[in-house]
């Protein structure tokens, strides 16, 4: 007898439909064959399904069993096919009679028949919605995540026996309550702008970066406050929009980084990899291609402390995600694209010892060492960073003074007002922030006064701005104008944007 169950396979961040076909032959020696380009984890599902059925009071047919995962040319990976294979066996053997043509089934089985948490459930739920299916069966631990998708009945189960009892009508299982995205909740931050003494220019630059999604590089001696500024940066970022939250949750779900206690990402990611991170760890890849740090930081912040200490290969690989806002990983078996729309926040010292130009300590580096240190950060990489900022030592008077600094909440309110202006501006453009603008967007949305344009032309010739640098100055000026609630880009906005560009162009 032949039975078919609808399931899915995750390819990158998206899920594609897979039909689990189970055939139990009336003749032939007992065997269990699984075909359909399955990896080792899928192949091993035969033993998990066999034990799960026996431990769930079901009969395992002692006949010739063939399971096909169609389409056959699509690579299948992971243990998510356990539950659909088990249900298919129950249907094919006649132990269960039920029409499941409106149901997508996914889940990993333990040997005792219990269902384990499965990666990428949000992608499966979106697939079920796109296929026009009525419901989806998932492990109970993943039900809250799947219930984000509207218009889909999500049924949570703890074990295989419970699924069987529900299908035969012996047990009532209520659909999971739809999950609402609470994205505007106030939260406590470990670091706050009010705790940072001095550094007014740096805090102003970070406010602009947060408002427009611009990349920042901080240069300064050890102890000047670069890391504290970076760690405080998330406290001024605006809340995630619903669209952004779904994008980030999908990345974390597929990569297995979702917390069981918080199945939805409601705050912007802040990733701070160590400088010993590998190329695959940063960009993504592996035998089973998974997202790297640049994708895990999507819609959030990627903080790279001690930037020149990262491998040159890693730094140069950042060019594509910084420019295209996505990263494409190609292998012989195919290529996958992951989103990587993040704010790069980098920090480094002026030289290997850190004290070049310091008024307090003498630099002990040789000229060749300083030159090699600076060359680790290539010109094309630095050209993709909007804000270049010097972070000097804080004066003793400011450090020991009692002057109260502006707190992060106040700064965040200004940032959110600027973001709302951008959301309204780009409502029909498919982007969310000024940093995402392309050339056509710049022509359309960057209205600049004649005086400001004259200043910009002068800067292009004197500072040797590249074409990319010219466009990035315009994007930065647009954000500064949004913070000032100005419809047009004025001379002062261009002037401030150029001060953040000058350090890199010298």
């Amino acid at each position: 007898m032949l039975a078919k169950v609808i399931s899915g396979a995750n390819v990158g961040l998206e899920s594609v439909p897979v039909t689990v076909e189970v055939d139990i032959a009336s003749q032939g020696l007992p065997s269990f064959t699984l075909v359909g380009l399955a990896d080792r984890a899928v192949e091993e599902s035969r033993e998990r399904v066999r034990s799960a059925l026996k431990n769930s009071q079901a009969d395992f047919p002692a006949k010739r069993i063939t399971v096909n995962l169609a389409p056959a040319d699509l690579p299948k990976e992971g243990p998510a096919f356990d539950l659909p294979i088990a249900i298919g066996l129950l249907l094919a053997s006649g132990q269960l009679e039920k029409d499941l043509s409106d149901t997508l089934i996914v889940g990993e089985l333990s040997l005792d028949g219990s269902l384990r948490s499965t990666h990428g459930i949000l992608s499966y739920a979106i697939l079920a919605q796109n296929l026009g299916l009525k419901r989806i069966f998932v492990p109970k631990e993943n039900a809250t995540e799947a219930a984000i998708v509207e218009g889909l009945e999500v049924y949570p189960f703890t074990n295989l026996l419970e699924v069987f009892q529900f299908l035969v009508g012996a047990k009532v299982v209520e659909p999971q309550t739809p999950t609402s995205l609470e994205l505007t909740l106030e939260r406590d931050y470990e670091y706050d702008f009010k705790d940072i003494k001095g550094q007014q220019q740096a805090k102003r630059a970070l406010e602009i970066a947060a408002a427009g999604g611009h990349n920042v590089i901080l240069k300064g001696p050890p102890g000047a406050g670069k890391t504290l500024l970076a760690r405080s940066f998330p406290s001024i970022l605006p809340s995630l929009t619903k669209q952004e939250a779904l994008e980030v949750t999908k990345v974390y779900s597929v990569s297995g980084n979702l917390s069981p206690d918080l199945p939805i990402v409601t705050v912007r990611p802040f990733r701070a990899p160590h400088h010993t991170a590998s190329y695959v760890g940063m960009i993504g890849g592996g035998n089973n291609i998974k997202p790297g740090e640049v994708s895990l930081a999507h819609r959030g912040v990627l903080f790279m402390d001690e930037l020149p200490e990262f491998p040159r290969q890693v730094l140069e690989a950042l060019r594509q995600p910084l420019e295209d806002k996505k990263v494409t990983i190609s292998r012989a078996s195919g290529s996958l694209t992951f989103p990587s729309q993040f704010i790069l926040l980098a920090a480094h010292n002026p030289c290997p010892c850190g004290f070049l130009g310091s008024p307090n300590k003498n630099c002990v580096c040789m000229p060749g060492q300083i030159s090699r240190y600076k060359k680790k950060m290539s010109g094309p990489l630095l050209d993709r960073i909007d804000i270049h900022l010097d972070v000097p030592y804080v004066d003793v008077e400011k450090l020991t003074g009692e002057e109260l600094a502006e707190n992060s909440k106040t700064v965040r309110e200004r940032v959110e007002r600027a973001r709302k202006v951008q959301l309204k501006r780009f409502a029909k453009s498919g982007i969310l922030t000024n940093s995402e603008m392309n050339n056509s967007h710049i022509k359309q949305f960057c209205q600049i006064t004649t005086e400001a344009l004259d200043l910009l032309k002068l800067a292009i010739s004197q500072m040797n701005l590249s074409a990319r640098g010219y466009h990035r100055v315009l994007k930065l000026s647009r954000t500064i104008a949004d913070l000032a609630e100005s419809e047009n880009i004025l001379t002062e906005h261009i002037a401030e944007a150029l001060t953040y560009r000058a350090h890199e162009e010298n």
Side-chain angles (χ1 to χ4, degrees), residues 385-407:
I385 298 177
D386 304 326
I387 299 176
H388 295 251
L389 195 66
D390 282 330
V391 183
Y393 282 120
V394 181
D395 295 336
V396 176
E397 291 77 10
K398 292 182 179 179
L399 193 62
T400 58
E402 298 297 328
E403 182 181 353
L404 295 177
E406 196 173 34
N407 62 32

Side-chain angles (χ1 to χ4, degrees), residues 78-119:
F81 296 102
D82 292 359
L83 182 58
I85 291 174
I87 296 299
L89 278 170
L90 292 174
L91 290 168
S93 62
Q95 299 177 68
L96 177 65
E97 293 183 6
K98 191 73 176 180
D99 180 13
L100 297 176
S101 60
D102 64 346
T103 307
L104 190 142
I105 301 175
V106 64
E108 176 187 351
L109 287 170
S110 296
L111 297 183
D112 61 357
S114 60
L115 282 165
R116 300 170 61 89
S117 177
T118 304
H119 298 165

Side-chain angles (χ1 to χ4, degrees), residues 417-449:
R417 284 197 297 270
R419 283 287 181 109
K420 287 178 181 178
V421 171
Q422 294 168 60
L423 287 174
K424 184 178 179 181
R425 175 188 299 136
F426 303 129
K428 298 180 181 179
S429 303
I431 60 176
L432 300 177
T433 61
N434 290 330
S435 64
E436 300 173 59
M437 287 192 292
N438 58 29
N439 293 352
S440 61
H441 294 143
I442 291 173
K443 290 179 181 179
Q444 183 178 358
F445 300 117
C446 293
Q447 297 86 7
I448 184 170
T449 63

Side-chain angles (χ1 to χ4, degrees), residues 29-45:
L29 295 174
S31 63
F32 192 165
T33 305
L34 198 155
V35 296
L37 211 57
D39 74 348
R40 184 65 181 271
V42 181
E43 288 280 355
E44 292 174 348
S45 68

